Amino acid sequence: ELAREFDIDAAEQNDETAPKILELKGVVFHESRCGSTLAANSMMALNPVTNRVYSESSPPISALRGCGEDYSECSLAGAANLLKDVVYMMGRSNDPKEENLFFKFQSVTTRTMDTFRTAFPSTPWIFLYREPVQVMMSQLDIPKISRANCVRSKSSSSLVRASVLKQGYRMEDMDSEEFCAIHLATLCEAAVRNLEEADGLGLAVKYHPDLVHTFLDGVFPNHFHLLVDQAGRDRVLKVSGTYSKNRGRHAEGDFKSDSEEKEREASQEIRDASNQFLLPSFEALEQSSYNIKK
């Protein structure tokens, strides 16, 4: 509140040093390992002079999750007010050329997307997701899969625990692959519900090898309402490593997606967990009226 009062007073006094508040133009939620870093880099490259992009910055994540996933620590309204204050502070600028503000949030914040939508009911957002087996393979591609983020959520997420119990299982009976699939499913389920409730302000965007062109030709101009000129397009394609005249190819040679490799190398445990727990929410995203491919 003090910062807001200072900014208002400075503006009223025509103080040329008073900060301006950047316009929140778009937000990226995601399932993880599905192109969110490309989204953040592309938003910045589109116009580095006017755009400010925060990628998984801690303050808004803490605000989004501060009341707990089930809002047992405080109310939804309280969490939304806290998020508004955090975004306000992070959107202050003394650079006369800066105009637009963007955030890429951590994947776990998808479970508390209600906080964001309450705080910013008119701001467009997207949810990035991926084929179930592929995203699980990316998540579990570490020496000890029990230490994967999607598995460790079993001890930190009330929604993961609730999902396990709702489906008639006991926590001690679940293996790491199943916990990972359930964790990812809670993200996708939250996204599906929020997509329907947002009525067009949210878009589901599926990962694919040519994702950068989905951003340039769809998300940026039509959803975030950004100018995509040739100079901006060239910068984004350079950042992504993609030839502008040959989609899907990179500067070092032919681009080869790792999707087929992940599908081929997936264990039976990953396939079974994916099909049982994650596939239904994936299919709901695929069938959503608010999927960008619709």
Side-chain angles (χ1 to χ4, degrees):
E1 284 299 322
L2 290 176
R4 293 178 191 271
E5 292 176 6
F6 173 86
D7 293 345
I8 291 172
D9 289 344
E12 290 177 346
Q13 296 173 17
N14 295 318
D15 186 345
E16 294 182 357
T17 65
K20 65 178 180 180
I21 308 304
L22 304 180
E23 181 181 1
L24 183 58
K25 297 287 287 187
V27 165
V28 176
F29 292 94
H30 57 100
E31 188 183 9
S32 79
R33 309 298 179 92
C34 54
S36 63
T37 298
L38 174 62
N41 292 343
S42 297
M43 289 187 292
M44 191 68 214
L46 187 63
N47 195 328
V49 175
T50 63
N51 295 349
R52 180 188 294 186
V53 181
Y54 289 103
S55 182
E56 302 197 2
S57 179
S58 296
I61 294 169
S62 297
L64 280 161
R65 295 169 53 80
C67 290
E69 292 180 344
D70 55 359
Y71 299 98
S72 59
E73 303 297 323
C74 56
S75 68
L76 172 60
N81 286 334
L82 176 58
L83 180 62
K84 283 192 286 188
D85 287 343
V86 168
V87 171
Y88 181 88
M89 294 299 296
M90 296 179 74
R92 298 168 86 222
S93 176
N94 289 112
D95 186 343
K97 296 180 180 179
E98 274 194 305
E99 298 176 2
N100 305 318
L101 180 65
F102 303 88
F103 285 90
K104 182 193 93 167
F105 294 136
Q106 252 183 357
S107 60
V108 291
T109 62
T110 304
R111 291 198 283 255
T112 49
M113 197 187 297
D114 299 85
T115 299
F116 167 77
R117 290 183 47 239
T118 300
F120 301 99
S122 61
T123 299
W125 52 273
I126 64 171
F127 177 74
L128 288 162
Y129 69 103
R130 191 172 182 175
E131 291 280 350
V133 169
Q134 295 171 19
V135 72
M136 284 191 62
M137 285 289 288
S138 291
Q139 285 278 338
L140 299 176
D141 187 21
I142 61 174
K144 290 187 177 182
I145 64 173
S146 61
R147 295 181 179 177
N149 288 334
C150 62
V151 178
R152 290 190 290 118
S153 67
K154 67 183 180 182
S155 60
S156 60
S157 171
S158 60
L159 294 185
V160 167
R161 291 194 295 273
S163 180
V164 170
L165 298 175
K166 182 180 179 181
Q167 297 182 67
Y169 296 96
R170 298 184 303 172
M171 295 289 287
E172 57 268 28
D173 295 334
M174 310 296 287
D175 60 28
S176 293
E177 290 87 354
E178 290 170 331
F179 273 121
C180 184
I182 290 173
H183 162 83
L184 295 170
T186 62
L187 303 181
C188 294
E189 289 163 2
V192 169
R193 177 176 59 79
N194 280 278
L195 284 165
E196 295 304 313
E197 294 176 356
D199 194 25
L201 273 177
L203 279 182
V205 181
K206 183 181 178 181
Y207 170 87
H208 60 92
D210 199 24
L211 186 60
V212 65
H213 284 93
T214 298
F215 295 147
L216 286 170
D217 300 332
V219 174
F220 293 166
N222 302 327
H223 195 55
F224 289 171
H225 305 294
L226 303 173
L227 173 65
V228 180
D229 58 16
Q230 190 58 51
R233 178 178 289 270
D234 290 344
R235 284 191 297 269
V236 170
L237 292 173
K238 183 177 181 180
V239 164
S240 73
T242 304
Y243 285 130
S244 61
K245 293 183 179 180
N246 196 349
R247 291 188 177 190
R249 297 189 61 173
H250 284 195
E252 289 75 18
D254 290 351
F255 171 69
K256 296 181 180 179
S257 170
D258 64 350
S259 297
E260 291 184 4
E261 181 181 355
K262 291 183 185 302
E263 292 279 358
R264 184 173 59 252
E265 296 183 354
S267 67
Q268 192 60 49
E269 289 80 6
I270 287 178
R271 295 181 189 280
D272 290 345
S274 169
N275 289 334
Q276 182 173 357
F277 298 109
L278 182 54
L279 186 60
S281 56
F282 168 82
E283 291 179 339
L285 286 166
E286 289 280 273
Q287 296 164 9
S288 172
S289 301
Y290 304 105
N291 194 304
I292 196 169
K293 69 180 183 181
K294 298 295 183 181

